[in-house]
Amino acid sequence: MIALSLDEIAAAVGGSLRLRSTDATSATLVDGTVTTDSREIAPGDVFFAKRGEFDDGHRFAPAAADQGAALLVVEHELDLEVPQIVVEDSVVALGALATDVVARVRAHGDLKIVGVTGSNGKTTTKNLLRAVLEHVGPTVAARASYNNEVGGPITMLALAHDTKFLVAEMGASGVGEIARLVRMARPDIGIVLKVGLAHAGEFGGIEQTVRAKSEMVTDLLPTDVAVLNLDDPRVAPMAGLTEARVVTFGLGSAADVRADDLVVHARGTEFTVHVPGGESARVHFGVLGEHHVMNALAAVAASVELGVALADVVAALEQVTLAERWRMQVMGGRDDVTVINDAYNASPDSMSAAIKTLAQVKAPGTRTIAVLGEMSELGEFSGEEHDRIGLLAVRLGISQLIVVGPGARRLHITAINEGSWDGESAYVETADEAYDLVVASAQPGDTVLVKSSNSAGLRHLGDRLGEWFS
């Protein structure tokens, strides 16, 4: 975090400063990392004691103090000899501090901010943008999927006065959450990737999901840029909801930034990218999966708008071989068995894309194995969407389907009911059973996909299989 006095921080968060019996004064400067996790505290850092659904961060404040925290932001004063700022709501205070810091950095530099949202692809697009922009100037981007009311502000608080780019991933589980993050960061460029059924159960339906994602662009200024997926019928109409200049991306000829001549193989995807002005380039993209081309196009569109030359954008994209751990991560290799671990999260769109990729990348004469777990947070859509994935696996000719856990069992039943399989779909209760089945049945040359929502825990199964076949 940029250096601020204790008084300045208290004013930013609307809190009351309690110096306790320390050597600190109201003018004491603090410039450490801001976190809500006491395990991450180092000397000089700031700890926000956040109340959670199952625990209370105030319980861990003593540990933060012992590890050298310079400041505690709390909802009630604690008997600890560390400066404290008492606030009504620590999460609201965290957002207020992020808003203040972003404004200060903007006022004294040439910071440009890109906001990224969508039902799928946020983290990949954020990572691609970071890979491009860090070659141009100091860049801050979220680690992992820090994109909610806590992770978003913590990312913003990592800004320094010389930061040139902030890439802010913005997720939500309800209407209004993206709007709050947008008000904190005030993006110069707002990207909407896709609106699908991911978390539709939490949002209360697809219409509410559309409304929430559109918050990325509704408050943009005429001098800003809205980067929209022209291929998504729920995203494209958002052009009418913003005063910003609109730049579209997609695979169709009408998109401002588009890709054609796609070639998908086990080492990634090749495509030709076209940008406004008639310039084009061939891209050898090492991230597995045709669906990631759309994320790359969004990154290209934003980067070009920020003044990065297309050749430099392409060179940076071609250096990226992994979107993020557990996202289309290629492992294995022994006996030519390839393991694709894509079990960080799953929605109907990303599950379909992963299975299609599995079918596309297999070598002639080899087999495919799809180990699939539950797609969570789909609400009323859960049954029919698991049905759809079961049908897709059959129709794409996946050699062996292994369905894991009660939440995904309907997928297995649907595959059987399709009527064309005889034992090609197996159901197991646990990841350990799935591991034993894959190890026992895999043949040289097989390609194995592991895919599920995070809550199903299959990402660790993917790691185990990757290590076994390494």
Side-chain angles (χ1 to χ4, degrees):
M1 184 179 72
I2 62 173
L4 296 173
S5 71
L6 292 174
D7 246 359
E8 288 173 320
I9 296 173
V13 302
S16 175
L17 175 61
R18 314 289 171 84
L19 293 173
R20 308 290 293 178
S21 56
T22 67
D23 294 332
T25 71
S26 62
T28 297
L29 294 178
V30 176
D31 62 357
T33 297
V34 177
T35 183
T36 60
D37 188 340
S38 62
R39 297 167 297 182
E40 297 180 349
I41 288 288
D45 288 349
V46 179
F47 176 69
F48 275 71
K50 179 180 74 71
R51 295 182 188 272
E53 184 178 356
F54 302 109
D55 215 332
D56 184 349
H58 293 78
R59 290 202 312 115
F60 304 101
D66 289 343
Q67 290 165 218
L71 173 65
L72 307 178
V73 179
V74 295
E75 294 177 3
H76 55 83
E77 190 171 357
L78 302 174
D79 188 18
L80 298 169
E81 300 310 308
V82 181
Q84 300 171 37
I85 295 175
V86 182
V87 298
E88 289 187 8
D89 186 313
S90 61
V91 173
V92 172
L94 181 66
L97 183 57
T99 303
D100 184 78
V101 166
V102 170
R104 288 173 183 267
V105 175
R106 272 196 185 279
H108 295 93
D110 59 351
L111 176 67
K112 294 293 183 182
I113 299 176
V114 183
V116 183
T117 197
S119 298
N120 306 108
K122 294 184 296 295
T123 300
T124 299
T125 303
K126 173 258 300 180
N127 288 342
L128 295 176
L129 276 166
R130 175 170 50 196
V132 173
L133 297 176
E134 64 187 3
H135 289 291
V136 180
T139 300
V140 170
R143 59 188 171 102
S145 292
Y146 270 37
N147 61 26
N148 62 7
E149 61 183 358
V150 174
I154 285 176
T155 298
M156 299 172 202
L157 288 167
L159 290 172
H161 281 299
D162 67 344
T163 302
K164 187 173 180 64
F165 303 107
L166 167 63
V167 185
E169 182 180 339
M170 298 182 179
S173 57
V175 172
E177 295 179 14
I178 292 173
R180 282 197 293 273
L181 294 171
V182 167
R183 285 193 291 269
M184 290 178 204
R186 295 294 177 188
D188 301 282
I189 297 177
I191 300 173
V192 185
L193 297 165
K194 188 175 184 64
V195 175
L197 291 176
H199 313 294
E202 290 185 334
F203 280 103
I206 192 65
E207 295 80 10
Q208 292 294 86
T209 307
V210 173
R211 181 181 169 193
K213 300 303 181 184
S214 68
E215 293 169 2
M216 174 59 74
V217 300
T218 51
D219 287 340
L220 293 180
L221 302 175
T223 53
D224 298 330
V225 179
V227 176
L228 302 178
N229 181 352
L230 191 63
D231 292 358
D232 188 317
R234 298 187 181 106
V235 174
M238 293 180 191
L241 302 177
T242 183
E243 295 182 0
R245 180 166 56 86
V246 174
V247 174
T248 60
F249 65 94
L251 301 182
S253 59
D256 297 315
V257 176
R258 61 185 176 87
D260 56 20
D261 297 330
L262 275 66
V263 179
V264 181
H265 47 68
R267 298 178 305 282
T269 308
E270 298 176 18
F271 60 93
T272 299
V273 61
H274 305 264
V275 299
E279 191 176 5
S280 63
R282 191 68 178 167
V283 183
H284 301 273
F285 191 43
V287 178
L288 186 63
E290 181 179 331
H291 53 296
H292 284 308
V293 171
M294 294 297 286
N295 302 327
L297 290 178
V300 170
S303 299
V304 169
E305 286 296 323
L306 290 168
V308 185
L310 180 60
D312 294 334
V313 176
V314 171
L317 291 179
E318 291 188 335
Q319 293 176 18
V320 180
T321 58
L322 177 64
E324 182 91 2
R325 188 182 179 192
W326 301 316
R327 287 178 168 89
M328 298 303 286
Q329 182 176 3
V330 179
M331 310 168 74
R334 177 166 56 86
D335 296 328
D336 290 327
V337 173
T338 299
V339 177
I340 304 171
N341 191 355
D342 192 34
Y344 183 82
N345 222 330
S347 67
D349 290 328
S350 67
M351 184 76 84
S352 297
I355 295 172
K356 290 175 183 176
T357 298
L358 175 65
Q360 287 174 321
V361 302
K362 84 176 193 76
T366 63
R367 302 190 319 148
T368 52
I369 301 174
V371 185
L372 307 180
E374 181 182 11
M375 299 178 290
S376 62
E377 300 175 351
L378 294 179
E380 63 180 297
F381 304 102
S382 180
E384 63 188 74
E385 291 302 324
H386 282 88
D387 288 344
R388 190 168 67 85
I389 296 301
L391 293 174
L392 180 66
V394 174
R395 291 168 183 172
L396 288 178
I398 302 303
S399 308
Q400 176 71 60
L401 181 62
I402 300 173
V403 180
V404 186
R409 191 169 184 271
R410 182 162 168 172
L411 193 161
H412 164 68
I413 294 171
T414 300
I416 293 175
N417 288 342
E418 181 69 355
S420 60
W421 282 15
D422 181 19
E424 289 92 343
S425 183
Y427 172 76
V428 295
E429 291 280 344
T430 68
D432 287 340
E433 292 175 274
Y435 174 83
D436 292 340
L437 185 54
V438 173
V439 168
S441 62
Q443 301 175 11
D446 282 357
T447 303
V448 182
L449 169 70
V450 182
K451 179 72 173 172
S452 73
S453 285
N454 201 345
S455 59
L458 296 195
R459 61 193 186 281
H460 303 301
L461 168 63
D463 286 343
R464 288 181 66 194
L465 290 171
E467 291 171 5
W468 174 259
F469 290 107
S470 65

